[in-house]
Amino acid sequence: MPRRHGLLAVALALVASVVVGCGGGGSGPPELNWYVPPDNGAYQKLADRCSRASGGAYRVKVSVLPTDASGQREQLVRRLAAKDSSIDVMALDPVYVPEFAEARFLRPFTAAEAPTLTDGMLSSAVESSEWRGRLVAAPFRANTQLLWYRKSVAAEAGLDLTRPIGWDDLITAAEKTHKTVAVPAKRYEGLTVWVNGLVTGAGGAIVRDVEKGVDLKPALREGGAGKRAAEVMRRLGRSSAAPANLATSIEDDTRTVFQSGSGGFMINWTYARGAAAEAVAGGQLSREVLDDYGWARYPQTDPDKPSKPPFGGISLGVSRYGKHAAEAVSAVRCAGTLENQITYMLESKETTARAAAYDDPGVRAALPMAGLIKESLDQAGPRPRTPYYNDVSASVQREYHPPADVDPNSAPRATDDLITGVLHDKVLL
Amino acid sequence: MSTASATRTAPRHRKPRKQLDHAQRMRRTGWLLSAPAVLIMLAVAIAPLVDAAWLSLFHKRLTTPDANSFAGLSNYWVVLKDPLWWTDVWTTLALTVLTVSVEFVIGFGLAQLMQRALYLRRTLRTIVLIPYGIVTVVSAYAWRYAFDPSTGFVNDWFGTDVAWFDHRWTALFVIALSEIWKTTPFMSLLLLGGLIQVSPDVHEAARVDGAGPWQRLTRVTLPIMKQAILVALLFRTMDAFRIFDSVFVMTGGANDTETVSFLAYRQLVSRTALGLGSAISVLLFACVLLIAFLFIKLFRTDVSKLGSPT
């Protein structure tokens, strides 16, 4: 008998805990759920600041998405297609903004709300947050890639990195010094970033007429830009300057190579040096390596054309299916204030879409390359802005990988044909 | 009807009728008891299959709700005439044949070892099963990092300088190796079940009759284990044909290492092209059914008797 009572007590306790669990959150301010990429905790601090600033109007809870942009997109698409009401605000890679807007996953900002979210933001970040003339996401982070170099290697190679440098010079210098040029070149989104940087740097584009939807115009064969991009990739892929894992490396792998004994040059986002500084503080990296970090503008594809650094970042979208839209807009506005952006930038080591932040003395001290970042963002070459970006990107990845085997004569035409076929459901991808 | 009239004219047949009623009642009870399970099976297994078959008849993307249209069987035509589908089918078949054959040989050896071990038998079985207990994604990452030239130790150990994941066949080799390492224990466990069915007396009789070790293996052990071997090979072949995780982690499908499941994943999840992706899923299901059919024909075994003593 006592055993039965015991079992009954356990069962009641379980039922009670479930009931309490279900009822939790019924009182108090609404809880906003932000879906964000993994970071060093800066998002959580920002969320806490905005919760406090709301004066009790809402609380912000942070939910973490997968590491890479494609994984983040996939999880959000799956949830939003099921009209998941647990998402209030989502951190979106700008390349997916058109797709999410077209799928009606995003609640567009009203004409009254838009100016408060865009004033003082970099124009490239504002453009990448709009779709069909409406602001569908709020600029938040703006990011670009830089050429990172080991000062000792550049000196040994006799490179003057105060002046623009081309890909060919870079590869030659690495070959001469028996060092590497590390670029994220796995068959993933990062490869499209590289191809787009090379193609726009040669004055071309991957696609044109994006407003025509599936009938957009693939443009890699136009003007030789796609061919030039393939030549650069093939040259590096077959060079002694290519790291052994070039074809499978993502951003973190390039950092590992760059920080190793064979490190010479690296193409990576702006956080690279901040991450290295954290590694030094954590005892995983020697101080000498960090002191040897140099930075310069993204390399030129053509010696007579200025480079077009890649544009990346984060835009904050408000979900159409969330239950607290007004509070969500207010939280997004809070995240974008100059004060919050500067604090977030210093905490996260990521760079902001708010122009004035780059002039802040604290930011200048923490990010000595802040001026170069802002200049790169102003002259960045965005990736294709189409709801079919994922298909376009995957088509590019299929034909421009692995770098050592890209055929400059056939890759541009093959990619153009593949994009057309894929968008019209005529071929698999 | 005939049974009823027969019982009316011949009262002495009452007993069989009672038995029949009892059997019917038992059958009915059996159906009632299994009905919830059958309904759940229909809901979780058949319904998605029907849904996938229905979706495969449309041009449909999750993120462009205004551009969906009826496609008939054209999605199947697109898949079957695309060289990518056939490349992936051959890649999947190559991986399946390679891994299952090697696993069968090693698994059989391990099963023999586990059966014959006199000491530490339980410990041995536990140790053999460890790789199977590891989540596939985790083991795939371990193998990837081991073979990656920048983080791995394999090149150092063997004095090689190979970028394993940069080339089709070296990448497939590592993928196959990780699969073999991961699932051989499962194969050996199934084979051990069959091996236990082989009575020592039968072996003894064969030995007395003058059969050597090879003859005892091929004429006694393997024929008695036939059904267990079928189960082991069938399960592993169907499983191997659906290989996904290792490819996803190690190469992301690059360098022609993509498998059929990965192809379906990319259309369905990455591209959200539900029509094309569903067509591939249905074709994948058909392939798995074909494998099961071929195995059963090949072994000439009545599956309904699987598991019953021979």
Side-chain angles (χ1 to χ4, degrees):
Chain A
M1 279 298 154
R3 198 178 159 206
R4 253 188 207 177
H5 284 146
L7 282 174
L8 191 66
V10 170
L12 282 173
L14 278 173
V15 170
S17 68
V18 169
V19 169
V20 168
C22 291
S27 59
E31 189 176 75
L32 301 179
N33 207 351
W34 280 16
Y35 275 74
V36 298
D39 73 339
N40 61 356
Y43 267 118
Q44 185 62 59
K45 290 178 187 164
L46 175 64
D48 292 343
R49 279 198 297 278
C50 285
S51 297
R52 283 194 299 274
S54 78
Y58 54 81
R59 279 184 296 124
V60 180
K61 182 184 154 224
V62 164
S63 294
V64 180
L65 289 165
T67 311
D68 63 299
S70 308
Q72 291 160 16
R73 170 190 164 275
E74 277 173 22
Q75 185 172 137
L76 288 171
V77 165
R78 279 209 295 272
R79 286 171 176 275
L80 292 165
K83 298 185 169 51
D84 182 352
S85 64
S86 77
I87 302 174
D88 293 292
V89 179
M90 66 196 98
L92 274 177
D93 192 306
V95 290
Y96 299 124
V97 166
E99 182 183 24
F100 277 51
E102 201 73 0
R104 297 194 280 272
F105 291 159
L106 300 175
R107 172 199 174 278
F109 293 107
T110 62
E113 291 163 352
T116 61
L117 298 165
T118 55
D119 286 350
M121 295 291 183
L122 293 166
S123 58
S124 50
V126 175
E127 278 165 28
S128 66
S129 302
E130 291 174 337
W131 182 245
R132 294 191 190 280
R134 295 188 75 177
L135 189 76
V136 291
F140 177 65
R141 254 168 43 186
N143 207 346
T144 187
Q145 288 189 340
L146 302 179
L147 165 64
W148 300 94
Y149 62 92
R150 298 282 281 258
K151 292 177 198 164
S152 55
V153 175
E156 189 188 336
L159 276 187
D160 177 11
L161 283 153
T162 57
R163 288 193 294 187
I165 185 172
W167 278 97
D168 285 328
D169 301 330
L170 201 61
I171 297 167
T172 306
E175 285 170 344
K176 202 167 117 188
T177 51
H178 305 291
K179 299 292 180 186
T180 52
V181 179
V183 186
K186 187 184 164 184
R187 185 169 149 179
Y188 82 128
E189 179 49 30
L191 186 78
T192 311
V193 173
W194 189 20
V195 175
N196 192 68
L198 291 169
V199 169
T200 52
I206 294 176
V207 293
R208 298 192 193 283
D209 302 340
V210 288
E211 69 282 358
K212 291 183 180 169
V214 293
D215 297 317
L216 54 73
K217 188 166 184 288
L220 279 167
R221 74 184 82 175
E222 281 177 16
K227 183 180 180 183
R228 177 72 193 127
E231 283 167 354
V232 170
M233 295 173 79
R234 187 183 175 91
R235 179 167 175 214
L236 178 60
R238 297 187 169 208
S239 156
S240 62
N245 64 346
L246 177 71
T248 54
S249 61
I250 60 170
E251 283 86 345
D252 281 345
D253 300 317
T254 62
R255 280 182 47 222
T256 306
V257 171
F258 182 70
Q259 289 166 186
S260 73
S262 70
F265 305 92
M266 167 175 72
I267 299 297
N268 212 328
W269 300 95
T270 53
Y271 65 78
R273 186 170 173 275
E278 278 185 4
V280 170
Q284 297 112 20
L285 188 68
S286 75
R287 181 84 218 173
E288 291 78 52
V289 174
L290 181 65
D291 290 341
D292 204 20
Y293 259 73
W295 51 87
R297 182 169 161 149
Y298 194 80
Q300 291 171 308
T301 316
D302 276 344
D304 56 344
K305 290 192 181 80
S307 67
K308 287 279 182 184
F311 177 81
I314 291 291
S315 296
L316 295 177
V318 172
S319 168
R320 182 177 285 270
Y321 307 114
K323 292 174 185 153
H324 313 289
E327 288 88 350
V329 173
S330 171
V332 168
R333 196 179 292 122
C334 165
T337 63
L338 180 62
E339 189 190 353
N340 272 333
Q341 283 284 295
I342 291 171
T343 312
Y344 173 79
M345 199 170 162
L346 295 172
E347 284 171 353
S348 68
K349 314 282 189 288
E350 296 282 0
T351 42
T352 172
R354 190 165 276 286
Y358 292 92
D359 301 325
D360 179 77
V363 168
R364 288 269 171 177
L367 279 176
M369 73 294 290
L372 173 65
I373 294 171
K374 187 162 177 288
E375 176 199 309
S376 297
L377 287 168
D378 286 337
Q379 296 171 37
R383 282 166 279 169
R385 301 211 68 231
T386 155
Y388 300 95
Y389 175 77
N390 204 49
D391 283 354
V392 171
S393 171
S395 301
V396 169
Q397 290 163 35
R398 193 161 117 189
E399 299 296 338
Y400 277 78
H401 189 273
D405 294 342
V406 182
D407 183 347
N409 294 316
S410 64
R413 184 174 295 272
T415 312
D416 283 355
D417 293 345
L418 184 61
I419 291 171
T420 304
V422 163
L423 293 188
H424 290 91
D425 270 356
K426 300 287 183 209
V427 290
L428 294 174
L429 185 57
Chain B
M1 286 299 281
S2 60
T3 314
S5 59
T7 49
R8 262 200 306 276
T9 52
R12 66 178 181 279
H13 289 302
R14 264 186 187 169
K15 205 175 172 185
R17 185 194 164 195
K18 253 189 178 176
Q19 278 178 343
L20 194 68
D21 286 350
H22 178 69
Q24 278 177 336
R25 270 205 306 279
M26 288 303 284
R27 204 174 298 132
R28 198 174 302 133
T29 311
W31 272 111
L32 279 172
L33 287 172
S34 59
V38 171
L39 286 175
I40 290 169
M41 273 297 289
L42 284 174
V44 300
I46 308 295
L49 198 65
V50 173
D51 194 33
W54 174 248
L55 276 174
S56 70
L57 305 177
F58 291 87
H59 291 299
K60 182 168 180 167
R61 275 168 209 254
L62 219 49
T63 52
T64 49
D66 300 331
N68 301 330
S69 61
F70 185 71
L73 294 174
S74 72
N75 283 331
Y76 289 94
W77 175 241
V78 168
V79 175
L80 290 173
K81 77 172 173 54
D82 198 305
L84 185 60
W85 160 260
W86 293 107
T87 306
D88 290 4
V89 166
W90 291 122
T91 304
T92 312
L93 275 176
L95 275 174
T96 304
V97 170
L98 177 69
T99 55
V100 175
S101 321
V102 176
E103 282 171 26
F104 179 72
V105 175
I106 302 175
F108 193 75
L110 282 175
Q112 295 260 15
L113 193 71
M114 285 193 284
Q115 196 202 16
R116 291 180 186 190
L118 294 175
Y119 305 105
L120 301 171
R121 189 182 282 195
R122 281 187 181 178
T123 315
L124 183 67
R125 288 182 187 180
T126 310
I127 290 170
V128 167
L129 273 176
I130 286 174
Y132 193 62
I134 297 173
V135 178
T136 313
V137 171
V138 176
S139 83
Y141 268 108
W143 281 83
R144 181 186 139 187
Y145 287 127
F147 278 83
D148 190 301
S150 64
T151 57
F153 53 82
V154 173
N155 275 342
D156 287 344
W157 275 15
F158 295 99
T160 51
D161 187 22
V162 181
W164 295 91
F165 301 113
D166 280 11
H167 313 285
R168 184 183 194 198
W169 294 108
T170 50
L172 285 177
F173 172 74
V174 181
I175 290 166
L177 216 56
S178 78
E179 285 290 300
I180 291 165
W181 178 80
K182 173 88 178 58
T183 44
T184 298
F186 178 66
M187 179 75 97
S188 66
L189 205 66
L190 290 176
L191 292 175
L192 179 65
L195 214 50
I196 288 167
Q197 287 183 333
V198 185
S199 155
D201 298 342
V202 186
H203 261 277
E204 193 54 38
R207 196 198 308 270
V208 169
D209 287 344
W214 179 249
Q215 281 178 310
R216 289 204 300 279
L217 176 70
T218 54
R219 301 277 176 85
V220 179
T221 309
L222 291 179
I224 295 176
M225 287 178 66
K226 191 173 154 186
Q227 289 176 347
I229 292 173
L230 169 69
V231 172
L233 289 181
L234 180 61
F235 277 24
R236 270 303 302 141
T237 306
M238 292 198 297
D239 209 25
F241 199 81
R242 296 188 308 241
I243 178 174
F244 175 79
D245 315 42
S246 304
V247 179
F248 183 86
V249 169
M250 290 191 209
T251 61
N255 304 319
D256 287 338
T257 56
E258 190 170 83
T259 59
V260 178
S261 296
F262 198 97
L263 186 67
Y265 162 83
R266 207 175 45 249
Q267 315 306 315
L268 276 171
V269 181
S270 301
R271 297 188 54 208
T272 63
L274 300 187
L276 271 178
S278 298
I280 296 173
S281 303
V282 171
L283 288 171
L284 176 62
F285 177 70
C287 290
V288 172
L289 272 188
L290 184 69
I291 289 170
F293 176 77
L294 287 177
F295 262 87
I296 290 160
K297 277 281 172 201
L298 201 70
F299 278 75
R300 293 195 190 89
T301 300
D302 182 356
V303 257
S304 65
K305 287 180 184 159
L306 284 181
S308 63
T310 42

